[in-house]
Amino acid sequence: MPPPKPNPEFEALLDYLKHNRGCDLTGYKRSTLIRRFQHRMRQLNIEDYPNYLEYLQFHINEYRALLNEVLINVTGFFRDQAVWDYLSVSLIPQIIRQQPNQVIRVWSAGCAGGQEIYSLLILLAEALGIESCLQRVQCYATDADEAALQQARQGIYSNSEVSSIHPEWLEKYFQRTESNYIFHPQLRRRIIFGRHNLTQDAPISKIDLILCRNVLIYFNSNVQMAILVRLHFALKKTGFLVLGQSETFNHHRAIFTAVNLKHRVYTKGLALDMKEHLFISPKTPQKVTVEPPSQSCFWQTAFETSPVAQLAVDVNGYLVSTNEQANRLFGLSCNDWQRPLQDLEVGKQLGFQILNQPFHRHHPVVLRNLEWSSLTTTKYFDVTIAPVYDAKQKLLGITLAFLEITEGKKLREKLELTNLESSALKNTLQSLTSELNIAQIELASVRQEMKLLEDTFDIDRSINGSIDESIDRNKTNTNSN
Ligand SMILES: C[S@@+](CC[C@H](N)C(=O)[O-])C[C@H]1O[C@@H](n2cnc3c(N)ncnc32)[C@H](O)[C@@H]1O
């Protein structure tokens, strides 16, 4: 059956997204795309594509809502259990046997909220033991959807989300909080999460096991082939590819050989002439470089996991990105992206002038001692605001890095108080000393007076004694006469 004729109004929408938002959906199956776009348009009571295009242009948050609709993130722990049993009993032991004591590299491509890569990591830890798994396993988990990646990075799941995990593993690999489950932090750090578009970005290389499940179904057969070629390139000679249950190869060239068709497990088939396949369209050749992981993936991860809270804001004052630390500190999530910074609590507390810093020769500006108050606590920060320019020196926006100084400030204040107290004590001591001196002087003068008195008293006593003596003598004389 010939493919349906393209609808120019719908193509204009895709064209707008590609050129104005950097989001290329042209390789996705039209039938799926149209269904998802129309679903979103119905929610907004918009009937035709030109009106929806206008809506997209004037509502900055709509782009994210649309992407959520298109890139459906349906997933789950140990989704399609039979495949996981096969992995655990057959494939993982084989990979471990193949390369004793060497690093094992696995990649969940289209990882959605992370459940797939965490499930795989649990099986690897079960097979190797946690200690050896920490040393030997390197995981990559990528997706085109930043919102899904945010959840994946956090590794925090609700009761219902973890309900498909064996209770013994839940106990062993998760920390239970009041309302959630958090994946084993040490093992989580073995995973590099990164934004990666399977149709555009260079593949990761030297991988032992790729899970790319329930992703290809969204694409037309040309794009599926281009993705498969990238995955072929990413695998080691001895590596395995696992696809989703409803995914098969429809291509006449068998670039992969089925290891287990029921579970959609494949290994490398033919050696490929890459140049033949890597072009999705002749106009936009895709260059493949072997760089594990890609630089952007590396920097993205570094930004996300930095201990310093960071925000990125575009020239129009809209929040573009936040890292984990900033989310925790300011109660943000990726749902706040594309919102004006000044509408968010953190923006309100920072003040509007923050976006209008005069940057002298591209140098960052540091605002010291800014206060951030929440219901429970007050914190203080030195905020470094750095301008971001493109290659042509056009200002793209700013980044804000929040260095917390609360402890230092508290210590300084304590020190100042102690200094004040000690100088007050010194003053008291001084006045006590001078009072003591005065008292001593007074005592000495009293002593002197007393001595004088005593001396006078002695003279008096001797005078009195002489007088008494002469009286006695006179008395005796009188009697004898
Ligand atoms: C249905 S989920 C599958 C999740 C997981 N692999 C599983 O099977 O449980 C499909 C995922 O593919 C991602 N995706 C769609 N297009 C993509 C692309 N071009 N590059 C990378 N990921 C993509 C979506 O964002 C979504 O998270």
Side-chain angles (χ1 to χ4, degrees):
M1 204 170 63
K5 263 179 134 177
N7 174 332
E9 290 175 345
F10 187 70
E11 296 305 314
L13 252 178
L14 297 189
D15 205 50
Y16 166 79
L17 288 169
K18 182 172 172 183
H19 293 112
N20 295 66
R21 309 305 307 248
C23 168
D24 186 0
L25 296 176
T26 51
Y28 286 71
K29 280 181 192 156
R30 287 297 183 278
S31 51
T32 320
L33 275 188
I34 288 177
R35 222 176 27 250
R36 305 249 168 264
F37 271 64
Q38 288 188 344
H39 183 246
R40 180 66 196 148
M41 285 158 59
R42 270 198 303 281
Q43 288 172 343
L44 299 167
N45 274 330
I46 295 177
E47 282 175 4
D48 55 26
Y49 298 129
N51 275 332
Y52 185 54
L53 176 56
E54 200 175 307
Y55 188 87
L56 262 171
Q57 286 165 331
F58 288 100
H59 294 81
I60 196 96
N61 293 330
E62 179 53 22
Y63 164 65
R64 182 137 296 282
L66 175 69
L67 269 197
N68 281 344
E69 187 74 41
V70 173
L71 306 173
I72 324 155
N73 305 126
V74 180
T75 185
F77 285 99
F78 300 102
R79 179 183 186 189
D80 299 323
Q81 181 65 48
V83 181
W84 294 99
D85 292 342
Y86 178 76
L87 279 171
S88 139
V89 172
S90 190
L91 214 55
I92 290 178
Q94 185 175 339
I95 293 171
I96 296 172
R97 263 198 318 275
Q98 260 166 213
Q99 41 186 42
N101 305 324
Q102 283 174 33
V103 173
I104 296 171
R105 290 159 60 85
V106 299
W107 178 17
S108 164
C111 66
Q115 290 89 333
E116 186 176 78
I117 192 70
Y118 291 122
S119 304
L120 181 58
L121 198 46
I122 290 175
L123 292 191
L124 286 161
E126 283 297 295
L128 290 163
I130 292 183
E131 273 314 305
S132 168
C133 181
L134 286 171
Q135 280 162 18
R136 285 187 59 191
V137 173
Q138 183 62 65
C139 303
Y140 299 90
T142 60
D143 202 286
D145 185 351
E146 189 53 51
L149 275 172
Q150 282 282 110
Q151 190 202 357
R153 282 191 191 99
Q154 288 177 348
I156 302 175
Y157 300 96
S158 67
N159 285 354
S160 62
E161 282 173 314
V162 298
S163 61
S164 52
I165 303 176
H166 194 288
E168 194 187 310
W169 289 349
L170 196 57
E171 170 85 21
K172 188 168 167 188
Y173 294 103
F174 288 81
Q175 287 171 5
R176 197 188 172 143
T177 68
E178 258 176 38
S179 50
N180 291 312
Y181 287 85
I182 305 174
F183 188 77
H184 195 294
Q186 258 183 309
L187 281 171
R188 183 173 61 84
R189 282 195 278 277
R190 296 308 300 157
I191 308 173
I192 295 176
F193 291 98
R195 187 162 178 176
H196 181 278
N197 190 327
L198 282 164
T199 66
Q200 291 169 2
D201 297 325
I204 301 167
S205 67
K206 300 193 182 93
I207 301 291
D208 294 291
L209 175 62
I210 298 177
L211 304 188
C212 184
R213 300 161 69 228
N214 309 304
V215 181
L216 292 181
I217 35 168
Y218 298 113
F219 297 99
N220 66 38
S221 59
N222 278 348
V223 177
Q224 280 186 5
M225 187 58 187
I227 294 176
L228 285 170
V229 170
R230 285 180 160 77
L231 299 182
H232 186 280
F233 177 80
L235 275 183
K236 275 184 185 168
K237 259 193 199 143
T238 49
F240 298 98
L241 166 69
V242 183
L243 297 180
Q245 282 304 283
S246 50
E247 289 161 323
T248 42
F249 293 117
N250 299 321
H251 309 285
H252 59 282
R253 295 264 320 254
I255 60 168
F256 286 97
T257 310
V259 175
N260 186 310
L261 252 186
K262 182 172 163 224
H263 297 307
R264 309 282 188 266
V265 179
Y266 303 87
T267 188
K268 275 195 174 189
L270 296 174
L272 274 178
D273 176 5
M274 288 295 169
K275 282 188 263 101
E276 193 186 324
H277 294 280
L278 280 174
F279 303 106
I280 293 176
S281 92
K283 278 182 234 145
T284 54
Q286 308 284 310
K287 200 174 158 223
V288 173
T289 49
V290 188
E291 229 178 328
S294 69
Q295 277 216 353
S296 64
C297 179
F298 177 87
W299 287 116
Q300 176 85 15
T301 311
F303 171 80
E304 292 296 344
T305 54
S306 163
V308 176
Q310 294 186 62
L311 310 178
V313 179
D314 71 13
V315 268
N316 300 317
Y318 285 88
L319 190 64
V320 179
S321 189
T322 54
N323 70 356
E324 284 176 20
Q325 194 65 6
N327 290 346
R328 249 196 305 275
L329 205 58
F330 304 125
L332 296 168
S333 76
C334 49
N335 293 334
D336 297 312
W337 295 4
Q338 304 296 344
R339 289 181 61 193
L341 182 68
Q342 65 189 42
D343 287 358
L344 301 167
E345 191 51 37
V346 58
K348 285 180 194 156
Q349 292 205 28
L350 283 169
F352 297 119
Q353 82 285 2
I354 205 115
L355 299 171
N356 302 319
Q357 297 300 320
F359 295 109
H360 180 61
R361 292 192 183 166
H362 297 195
H363 287 317
V365 172
V366 183
L367 304 180
R368 302 210 179 271
N369 227 354
L370 291 189
E371 187 179 306
W372 162 260
S373 299
S374 67
L375 283 177
T376 49
T377 161
T378 298
K379 294 185 170 185
Y380 295 87
F381 296 94
D382 284 346
V383 184
T384 303
I385 306 171
V388 180
Y389 295 91
D390 69 7
K392 292 178 186 155
Q393 299 305 307
K394 187 175 150 221
L395 184 67
L396 299 176
I398 53 171
T399 60
L400 298 112
F402 295 76
L403 190 67
E404 190 177 347
I405 52 158
T406 315
E407 281 309 307
K409 187 177 160 68
K410 272 190 199 153
L411 275 177
R412 251 197 322 277
E413 282 172 359
K414 219 167 160 182
L415 193 69
E416 273 165 22
L417 193 71
T418 315
N419 282 344
L420 273 178
E421 282 172 354
S422 94
S423 76
L425 270 176
K426 225 152 81 191
N427 287 342
T428 318
L429 191 68
Q430 263 174 1
S431 74
L432 279 175
T433 314
S434 51
E435 275 175 32
L436 189 67
N437 284 342
I438 294 168
Q440 271 170 346
I441 293 167
E442 280 175 0
L443 190 67
S445 83
V446 169
R447 275 214 187 101
Q448 238 173 2
E449 274 179 34
M450 271 177 64
K451 178 108 179 33
L452 272 175
L453 275 174
E454 272 171 13
D455 290 349
T456 320
F457 198 59
D458 281 349
I459 294 168
D460 282 356
R461 232 188 346 234
S462 74
I463 292 172
N464 285 343
S466 311
I467 291 171
D468 288 347
E469 254 175 57
S470 80
I471 289 171
D472 285 347
R473 233 179 301 132
N474 283 342
K475 267 188 191 162
T476 323
N477 288 342
T478 316
N479 289 339
S480 61
N481 288 336

